[in-house]
Amino acid sequence: MYDIVVIGGGPAGLTASLYAARAGKKVMLLESNAFGGQIAIAPRVENFPSVMETSGAQLADKMFEQATSHGVDFDMGTATVAPAENGFVVTTEYASYPCRAVVLATGVTHKQLGVEGEQRLLGKGVCYCAVCDGAFYKDKHVCVVGDGNSAVQYALYLAEICSQVTLVTLFDRLFCDMELQQRLLATQGVVWTQGVAVTEIVGDECVKGVVCKSDDGAITYIDCDAVFVAIGQQPHNEAFASLVELDEQGYIVAGENCLTGRKGIFAAGDCRTKSVRQCATAVGDGAVAGFLAAQFVDRA
Ligand SMILES: Cc1cc2nc3c(=O)[nH]c(=O)nc-3n(C[C@H](O)[C@H](O)[C@H](O)COP(=O)(O)OP(=O)(O)OC[C@H]3O[C@@H](n4cnc5c(N)ncnc54)[C@H](O)[C@@H]3O)c2cc1C
């Protein structure tokens, strides 16, 4: 039996496992996709304390190495949780893990535009990760859709690879860090098309362009070879809705102490109700949840 099962191997889950293992607990870390979570696809991270500059993948690798070097067990699988006599049973497609406490660190994923062509051309020019797919569009013209930190990071990263990057935003302003904005405006090869909504992604075998519509109804067409969508995030906590309270958007209701309404279940990182979703805040949550989950096990 495990003391603690951590669900989600992003920065929050990796940190929660590390803290729980260092508190002497037997810990299983479960991940459905790839250890590292979202940060693993960040082109460049410059705001994680003590690290001047790194790729998200490097940061994620180090976190994983650190957690496992402290004895955290890990496995792949999409986890669900059910109450049991002495705690909980966490189940994946492959195995079941009885445990005393659970840390939910399921993060968020990218939102989709939901426009014609997006699903059909997925993998044929429609992309959600600049680090993963940017190199396929060397010396090509790409569009980035979005106005936050991720979108601007994508545009800056792609500007180093592609012949032209068109950043398409719904409003006439960006919602990213000022430093990123200044860098974007000073970068050659980036065109900013403001105040339009992408209404269609066009192409037969692969992306050929995007159709945009402005507030006054004017339609424009942008020729491009790929579209990188970076328009926000979506939590996926439906599987836990019978155990813990979710807010209207699907985030797990929990405060800075990472306590949910259910004894023995903690929520850490981007998956919980909070105002700043970043790597630094995710690892902060991970430390709190890992520590308090270990204390819970000791007192149970
Ligand atoms: C492109 C990009 C650039 C970014 N750049 C920065 C940056 O420069 N600085 C910064 O501080 N932050 C950055 N962020 C944000 C940062 O990556 C996130 O805030 C952070 O990763 C959140 O960590 P988390 O562990 O809470 O969630 P996530 O990183 O989302 O990890 C959650 C993990 O849980 C897994 N999971 C979900 N459900 C289940 C389940 N049922 N069973 C098993 N596993 C499950 C998922 O597969 C995922 O791996 C960036 C994000 C993106 C997408």
Side-chain angles (χ1 to χ4, degrees), residues 27 48 56 111-112 120 129 132 134 194 207 247 256-257 284 297:
V27 182
F48 193 74
K111 275 188 184 160
Q112 301 193 346
R120 188 171 46 81
C129 170
C132 320
Q194 338 177 346
V207 168
D247 75 0
E256 296 297 314
N257 55 15
V297 169

Side-chain angles (χ1 to χ4, degrees), residues 6-15 29-49 54 56 59 63 75-80 90-93 104-110 128-131 149-151 153-154 177 180 230 232-234 236-237 239-240 268-272 274 276-283 285-286:
V6 177
I7 301 178
L14 285 162
T15 310
L29 174 65
L30 296 171
E31 168 56 47
S32 58
N33 183 19
F35 285 98
Q38 296 165 69
I39 202 65
I41 65 163
R44 196 153 74 165
V45 180
E46 296 175 331
N47 58 1
F48 193 74
T54 184
L59 193 58
M63 287 186 194
D75 210 345
M76 298 304 294
T78 302
T80 56
V90 177
T91 307
T92 69
E93 314 78 311
L104 298 173
T106 52
V108 294
T109 56
H110 57 254
Y128 298 90
C129 170
V131 174
N149 280 333
S150 295
Q153 278 193 22
Y154 278 13
D177 296 346
L180 282 176
Q233 309 157 328
Q234 208 168 355
H236 298 283
N237 298 314
F240 313 109
D270 283 9
C271 68
R272 77 166 177 91
K274 66 196 303 192
V276 180
R277 292 192 171 84
Q278 284 281 281
C279 213
T281 60
V283 301
D285 276 12

Side-chain angles (χ1 to χ4, degrees), residues 78-272:
T78 302
T80 56
V81 184
E85 204 176 325
N86 285 326
F88 304 94
V89 178
V90 177
T91 307
T92 69
E93 314 78 311
Y94 314 110
S96 286
Y97 307 92
C99 60
R100 299 201 187 280
V102 174
V103 176
L104 298 173
T106 52
V108 294
T109 56
H110 57 254
K111 275 188 184 160
Q112 301 193 346
L113 286 165
V115 299
E116 167 62 32
E118 185 178 21
Q119 283 301 321
R120 188 171 46 81
L121 295 166
L122 187 64
K124 297 171 183 164
V126 174
C127 310
Y128 298 90
C129 170
V131 174
C132 320
D133 300 328
F136 296 126
Y137 302 99
K138 187 170 170 11
D139 300 329
K140 305 267 188 192
H141 177 193
V142 301
C143 278
V144 174
V145 185
D147 51 24
N149 280 333
S150 295
V152 174
Q153 278 193 22
Y154 278 13
L156 289 168
Y157 176 78
L158 292 165
E160 291 175 12
I161 300 171
C162 306
S163 58
Q164 191 187 318
V165 177
T166 301
L167 178 66
V168 181
T169 64
L170 199 49
F171 303 104
D172 59 0
R173 59 163 295 198
L174 295 169
F175 297 87
C176 64
D177 296 346
M178 188 52 73
E179 198 179 308
L180 282 176
Q181 177 161 339
Q182 284 166 353
R183 207 185 302 156
L184 182 90
L185 297 176
T187 299
Q188 296 261 322
V190 178
V191 174
W192 179 12
T193 299
Q194 338 177 346
V196 295
V198 171
T199 55
E200 186 181 347
I201 300 175
V202 178
D204 293 326
E205 296 302 310
C206 57
V207 168
K208 293 287 180 208
V210 294
V211 178
C212 300
K213 190 177 181 183
S214 61
D215 271 351
D216 61 8
I219 303 287
T220 46
Y221 179 78
I222 305 171
D223 266 319
C224 64
D225 301 290
V227 184
F228 288 81
V229 180
I231 54 165
Q233 309 157 328
Q234 208 168 355
H236 298 283
N237 298 314
E238 305 80 13
F240 313 109
S242 62
L243 286 171
V244 294
E245 188 188 348
L246 307 185
D247 75 0
E248 280 168 10
Q249 293 165 304
Y251 290 100
I252 299 165
V253 176
E256 296 297 314
N257 55 15
C258 298
L259 300 181
T260 67
R262 166 80 63 152
K263 279 199 172 120
I265 301 191
F266 301 80
D270 283 9
C271 68
R272 77 166 177 91

